[in-house]
Structure formats: C-alpha cells, structure tokens
Amino acid sequence: MSYQIEPWQLRWHGLAVDQLRRTESTFALSNGHIGMRGTLDEGEPRGLPGTYLNGFYEEHDLPYGEAGYGYPEAGQTIVNVTDGKIVRLLVEDEPLDMRYGQALEHERTLDFRTGTLRRRTVWESPTGRVVTVRSERIVSFTQRAVAAIHYEVEPADDLQLVVQSDLLANEPIAQQTNDPRVAAALDAPLLSDFYVAEGTRAVLAHHTRRSGLRMAAAMDHVLDTPEGLNCSISAEADLARFTAAVDVPAGTCLRMTKFLGYGWSAQRSTPALRAQVEAALAGALQTGWEGLLAEQREFLDDFWEVADISLEGDDELQQAVRFALFHVLQAGARGETRAIPGKGLTGPGYDGHAFWDTEMFVLPVLTYTLPEAARDALRWRHSTLDKARERARVLGLQGAAFPWRSINGAECSAYWPAGTAAFHVSGDVAFAVSQYVTATDDRDFEATCGAELLVETARLWTSLGHHDRHNGFRIDGVTGPDEYSAIVDNNVYTNLIAQRNFLGAVAACEQHPAVASQLEVTPDELDAWRSAAEHMAIPYDELLEVHPQSENFTRHAVWDFENTPEDNYPLLLNYPYFDLYRKQVVKQADLVLAMHVRGDVFTPDEKARNFAYYEALTVRDSSLSAGTQAVLAAEVGHLELAYDYLLEAAFTDLHDLHDNVHNGLHMASLAGAWTALVAGFGGMRDHSGLAFAPRLPLPLTEFTFRMCFRGTRFRVSVRREDATYEIVSGDALELRHHGEPIKVKPDAPVTMPIPPAPSLPRPAQPAGRDPRRR
C-alpha cells in the first residue's frame, strides 16, 4: 500500500496498521502553534500519538560521563500535551476498532487546498452491523488557538450509536529514547491544576514538573442528531469525557462538531489560561465549522497564489512538492515568536528542538512566500538574545552565541564539537536577517530587531577570530555544517557567513544610526568589522585548484568508501568520530552550501571544480544535503544529477528514505525541494538584487514557480528554450536573467531565451552513495 498520486492531496487508500507511525507524521496538521499527529479519530490502533504546543517542553538533566566548564546542564524535550483528537464510536455497544470487524472501505486524505485531514470508513462490526464514518479535522491558520473535528456517522440499519469525545492528558506512550533521564521527564509530565466540565464543555489545566510551564486545553461540542439524544459530561485530573447516545434510523446521520482550544504560558496563571482557551472556544463557536473551513480555504488560496510550484512531466514529484510546501507552511505560519523545530510539530524527533536548519533552509522559503512568518521566526531569535549573550559570556566571548539546539533559546546540546563549536549558527541567524530585510525592505523590523541581531553576532566574530599577518582574519577551532569535520581552522562556510555578517552589521548601523548609538557601536568598531570582512581568510589549495572545506582538509587521507559496507551508513552510528574527523569524508554539503549562499565570491570555474571534488566525498548522512547539492549541480550544468537530488529531497519523507519518518517530518529537506527547484532549476540568487538563471531538466516539459519580493508577487515560467517573468500583483521589478538586466512591469510579461548549459562529465559520488531518487 502507498499514497495515491494526486496533484493537490495526499491520500492513503486501505488500512495498513503497520504503517500508522509513518502516516501519522505525513498526515499531521499544524499551524505553527498547535501540532496534531494524524492518529485515527478513535485513538487506537496507533503508532506514536502526539499533540504539541510550540515551545512547551520539560527539562531534564543532560548526560555527561565527565562534565566540563561551559557544558549545558539542562536538556529540553517537547511534551505530548493533552490530546483532544479522540472521538470514539460504539455501535450497539461494540467499539469501532479498525483491528476488529472488517473495514469494507477506508481512506484518509490530507488536502493541501482546504488544509484539512479527511477520513472515510465503512466498517462492519464483528456482529455484522455496518456504519459509514466520515470525519474532517482542522488546525486553524486564522484562529491560532483553535482546532476542530467534524464527525458524521451514518448507519446502514436502525442502530443505537454512542459517541465519546475526550480530552486526555498524560497519554501513555512507549518512549523512543535510550536516555533514562529523558524517559523519566516524559513519564506523566503533566501535573493537574484544574478541571471542570459543564454542559457540552470541559477544560483541563496542567503544569510541568521542572520547566514550570502551564497549559490549558478545552473542548466544546455542537450536535445535529435525531430526537432522543442523551448527553453527559465528566472531568477528572487527566481526563474529560463528553458522551452522546442516540438511536439513529437508517438513512439518517449523527453529526457532531468538536471545537478545541489550546494555550500555554510560562507566566500567566491557571485562571488566565482557562479564560484564554474558553475565549478561543467562544470565537470558534461563533465562526462555526463552515466558517472555519471558509477561513482556512481563503488563507490557503492566498498562500498558493504566492507560493505554488506547478510541474509538467512528473505527477508524483508535483504531489511531493506541494506536500513539502504545505508542511513548511504548517511549521511556521502562526509560530509567532516561537521557534520552528527541525521536525515542525509533526513528531517528537530531535526532542522538538530548533537548529540552524530554520534560518538556512526553512526561512528562505517563508521569506519569499510568507514573509510575516519569517519575520516572526527571527523575532523569536531576538527574544532569546539575552540567553545568547550569556552563552557567549560563559565561553569567554563577546556578543551573542546562539545555541546549536534549543526550544527556549538556551543551549541544550550535550555534544561539544558539533554543538558549542558550531558557531556558524550565529552567522546563519544574521544571514537570515539580512536576507529577510533585503527581500521585504522591512526597515521597522531592522530597526527594532534586525540591527541588534546583526551587531551582537558581529561582535561574536570579532572576539572569536583574529588578524594574522600572513592569512588575514582567521576564525579557528570551529565546526562548520559538515559534522564529520570538527574543531577546524578557517572553515570556508563559517568564514564567508561571518564576512556577510560583518557587512550586514555595518549596513544596518549606517541605516539606523540612532540604533547603533543605543547599542554603543563606535566608529572604531565599524572599522574593525570592515577590516575583518575585507581580510577574511579563505583557504585555497593551489595544487588541486579547489577550496579546502577548512584549512588543510584536502591533506587528510580520503575515507575508504570502496570498503565501507552499505549497512554501515550513516557512518556516525558505525565508526568513531575521531576517525571521521581526520579523513576526507563529508556528512552533508558544507563548501557546496557556501557556494550557494555566498556564490558571489566564487568564479564559475571554481564552482565547477569544487562541486566535482566534493561530490566524490559527500555521503549525505543528513537529510539537509540533497537540496543544496541540487542547486550547485544545476548551476554548473549537471541538470540530470540536479534532478536526482531534487527527487531525494522531495521524497525523503514520503518514501521514508532515512527510516525515521515515524518521529516526524524533516522540515529542512521539505524546504530543500523548494530550494532545488527555485534556486536550482530557477537559478534564483539574492546576492545583490534578485537574479535568475533558469534551466529545465529533461524529465520536465515546463515548470512555473511563484514568489514575492518587496510586496510584489510574480511568477516565472520555465520552458526548454525560454523563460517568462510575469507580475501577479504589485509594482514593477528589476531583475537579472542569466546576467542580463530586465524590467518586468504589470501586464507586460517578459520572455527571455535560455542559453545552453555547460557540458561537463557527470561527477561520481562515493561508492554506493548515488542519489536516492524514488
């Protein structure tokens, strides 16, 4: 069994209990604040149930055999909060359970245009009674604290039906961790503060033991049934249950809409949270089920107008790309001063932490399609500046050192080389700030948040690096994006991202002198940033004519790929890190990523040579890599290879290429599908102004992508011989097409010819590490 290939939805026909953990992730609904895994309505059978509130976590001790100065002490893990999805059905006292009786028909559909998860089941009970169940679930983009379920049951004969609707806290879950500290923290993590049930409404309020966060969940119900309805409601510490019983004649239907409200806070009281979720319910009831659906559709119609990518020639990829865009939207749409976790809110993978993935992979998508969501994610980083400053101080540095992984902004990575030493995270935040401001011209954000982020991260680099009379401004002892190389000197990606950081900080201070004065930026400090940027050390291997990923990297022995069994990937689970660190083997795009985001400092010949060199070393033991490799493959002329990498990025989750989708989807890889198409085959670059260099890969006959830039929405249609640029709404745009300036005006599309791609031999990958296409 597998997904049906359809352009605007993901549909699974038939029941496969062994695939539930996988489909619970792909069918997850979220708005960036509330996340609900796609479990069956009745709660069982299940794979890994989960309901999450962005930023709601529990603390636990971090494990160290030997502690050291500066090691983070507390870890953070996302909590499975009160589950409001559960709606159970009893048919003449027999519970509907897909493991019993017979599912005569069953399908579930995630609809990218309506933003809902639909279910239709025709079930025959063990005693032969037949009912048709239809349900539709929504997590609202427009009413941030609201979710809802519309549930219908139609019996084939006159039957008594009983519906039970639950709020369930501390749902028992088999923990997916080998760390007893984490398992203990998540064993019944919610302590009851309050519960009430009256009429058709119930509220449960809880708090966590160690993090001290408080949350409330509420439900209310609207029923449309035959006469003779009998209802009751009850509540206790961890369970509230609404029960409705009615005799339903054949040809009629029991209908119930369940409205849910969620809220949490680190500061507000339990009564305040109760008031918040009851107010959310009142708003949802006022809007009604049909109103929520209409609002959701209107929101998504607007999103797809600015974000859709249409493909001709590969129907399965078309579905995968829209699936990817829909889930990236869900991860960030209404986060609002919260992080965008690496798995979004689709599962507990990575403990619910946010990484640099957000700024370098997810935010470019949002910046050019839903910029207000990108702004809010950067505001979250700004809200954590005090923690980043404190982290830098502990490390003996100035400025702000943003964490490798976190939920609340404090570092909670227990692995020093790939955590604390990955200072590029701070540069990544600065890069995203500059990219957002350039794309939106949002000077208010730059003044209130962006400039301070740029200044404090620039200060980090001046204290971390130093001027060397032989090699310019050096940044030593860091870890770049490739986690198979650690504690290296002059990682090219890190140095170039720091260079961009310095230049961005200078520009922001010149744009906002009053802000610079408030931040006590002196003329000498500005001069120091300019000097460091101008003299940034960028290693180059003259003999090989390539850029080493970091100083002396190309002098290391090359990993023995030929004698590495396929079952030994990913390497980090089968070989000691010390061996990986001293060999030429690359976990994920590092120098290649530098050539994408700082392509303005590499020549075309350097890009082609570098790309070929690192193709032979990159094993892609990370889902982050394929999208970036697609971009550079397309740029240097390897269109077929680029297409293969696009497929790997797009199908990472739908085909479960890393065998871990049960823990949630890979937001960066989903974003990488957009990147591979827009920056790869669309050739979009934003180094200085907006530029495109589109080319069409052979499997496609045409593709069109949409974006927004400084309030103007436009689309680019790419064919074999030419590309057309057209304004959808807004003002004229000045762009570049394969280096040639063009001006696109409203109602005046511009069509430009596409020059032929360079003809280069396809580079080889390490043995057995070819792209995983489908």
Side-chain angles (χ1 to χ4, degrees), residues 9 61-62 66 115 171 197 214-215 229 240 269 274 366 373 385 396 433 494 541 578 580 629 638 646 715 747 768-769:
Q9 59 188 27
D61 295 331
L62 284 174
E66 295 183 21
E171 199 169 14
R214 287 180 289 277
M215 66 147 297
L229 179 68
S269 66
R274 176 189 177 182
L366 296 176
L385 254 176
V433 168
T494 301
D541 188 320
F578 88 90
L580 297 169
Q629 287 174 262
H638 303 299
L646 162 62
R715 60 174 167 255
D747 300 319
R769 305 306 291 170

Side-chain angles (χ1 to χ4, degrees), residues 306 368 649:
V306 71
Y368 289 107

Side-chain angles (χ1 to χ4, degrees), residues 193-194 205 214 216 268-278:
D193 292 323
F194 172 85
R214 287 180 289 277
R268 282 178 290 129
S269 66
T270 296
L273 283 171
R274 176 189 177 182
Q276 177 188 349
V277 296
E278 289 190 325

Side-chain angles (χ1 to χ4, degrees), residues 242-445:
F242 171 75
T243 302
V246 65
D247 293 327
V248 182
T252 61
C253 197
L254 180 157
R255 295 182 179 88
M256 180 182 75
T257 302
K258 178 178 187 177
F259 296 94
L260 295 163
Y262 283 94
W264 76 269
S265 177
Q267 299 176 326
R268 282 178 290 129
S269 66
T270 296
L273 283 171
R274 176 189 177 182
Q276 177 188 349
V277 296
E278 289 190 325
L281 281 184
L285 286 163
Q286 170 67 24
T287 305
W289 171 252
E290 294 298 331
L292 287 175
L293 287 182
E295 289 180 354
Q296 193 87 334
R297 181 62 186 254
E298 182 180 2
F299 181 94
L300 284 164
D301 284 347
D302 185 68
F303 172 73
W304 291 118
E305 182 188 78
V306 71
D308 187 31
I309 297 177
S310 61
L311 308 171
E312 294 183 13
D314 193 328
D315 292 342
E316 188 180 16
L317 178 61
Q318 174 69 87
Q319 178 188 48
V321 169
R322 287 188 175 129
F323 170 84
L325 281 167
F326 180 71
H327 273 292
V328 169
L329 169 68
Q330 289 199 128
R334 299 299 304 274
E336 298 177 11
T337 68
R338 301 292 172 197
I340 297 177
K343 294 278 190 178
L345 297 176
T346 65
Y350 305 139
D351 288 326
H353 294 162
F355 297 78
W356 68 292
D357 309 18
T358 298
E359 282 74 23
M360 297 310 295
F361 297 92
V362 176
L363 289 198
V365 183
L366 296 176
T367 291
Y368 289 107
T369 60
L370 194 69
E372 55 268 31
R375 177 201 62 209
D376 288 345
L378 291 169
R379 282 179 171 169
W380 170 72
R381 285 292 193 186
H382 185 261
S383 74
T384 68
L385 254 176
D386 285 346
K387 292 183 175 68
R389 289 190 185 102
E390 174 59 21
R391 184 63 177 157
R393 188 196 64 77
V394 168
L395 298 174
L397 301 169
Q398 298 172 5
F402 285 100
W404 174 247
R405 57 190 302 165
S406 182
I407 294 178
N408 74 351
E411 179 65 83
C412 53
S413 171
Y415 186 60
W416 190 278
T420 295
F423 289 101
H424 69 84
V425 177
S426 294
D428 300 331
V429 172
F431 179 90
V433 168
S434 295
Q435 185 176 60
Y436 168 78
V437 171
T438 299
T440 62
D441 201 29
D442 187 346
R443 298 300 173 180
D444 179 66
F445 167 83

Side-chain angles (χ1 to χ4, degrees), residues 621-643:
D621 281 348
S622 165
S623 62
L624 298 182
S625 198
T628 295
Q629 287 174 262
V631 171
L632 265 296
E635 180 174 351
V636 302
H638 303 299
L639 299 185
E640 181 183 352
L641 177 60
Y643 195 75

